[in-house]
Amino acid sequence: MSTSESSRYVRLRVDLVLEVAEPEALTGAALEHVAADEFMPDEERGHAEAAVREDEAEALAYLVDPFDLVSGVPGVELAQASWSTEAVEYDPESLEWDLDEEDGPFDDDEHDDEGPGGLPHT
């Protein structure tokens, strides 16, 4: 693959930590999603329903689709996607969870007029 061909592809990495404030709502929505999936074989559906009932991270995985993140972005087409979910111990004060560690400290007040990537809002 030449440089010009490979430069057409961009890897977008997103790392989210979500708080499950309403586990019953999450599980219910995931069960509805699994039940509505007309392409899911019955044996897989039973496994999916059990996994969703047992694990909130599994429920979330059935509801989040990377395609949804980029489907409305003009000029791009999703070439490949993978994602996973896991329950984690979260401490926002821990350096482990400092998402801006490579960029250094970030003062939100200084950048209120900036949009994504530090560009001004338009």
Side-chain angles (χ1 to χ4, degrees), residues 67-79:
F67 177 76
D68 293 340
L69 295 174
V70 298
S71 63
V73 177
V76 300
E77 183 176 322
L78 183 64

Side-chain angles (χ1 to χ4, degrees), residues 5-120:
E5 288 175 328
S6 67
S7 65
R8 292 181 41 181
Y9 294 91
V10 174
R11 181 181 302 244
L12 171 66
R13 295 179 191 239
V14 177
D15 193 14
L16 303 170
V17 177
L18 306 173
E19 179 181 359
V20 179
E22 297 182 43
E24 297 83 13
L26 174 65
T27 300
L31 287 170
E32 288 176 14
H33 182 79
V34 169
D37 187 343
E38 61 190 49
F39 299 107
M40 185 180 291
D42 287 339
E43 62 191 44
E44 186 179 331
R45 187 180 320 278
H47 173 73
E49 289 171 343
V52 162
R53 284 187 181 99
E54 183 178 309
D55 185 356
E56 293 163 357
E58 284 289 326
L60 186 61
Y62 277 96
L63 293 171
V64 173
D65 184 346
F67 177 76
D68 293 340
L69 295 174
V70 298
S71 63
V73 177
V76 300
E77 183 176 322
L78 183 64
Q80 180 180 349
S82 67
W83 68 104
S84 65
T85 57
E86 63 182 337
V88 295
E89 295 295 322
Y90 177 64
D91 176 7
E93 301 299 320
S94 169
L95 291 177
E96 176 184 359
W97 296 100
D98 184 8
L99 298 179
D100 292 322
E101 65 187 23
E102 292 177 13
D103 299 332
F106 185 81
D107 182 357
D108 286 336
D109 294 335
E110 272 185 40
H111 302 282
D112 284 348
D113 62 341
E114 294 180 358
L119 299 174

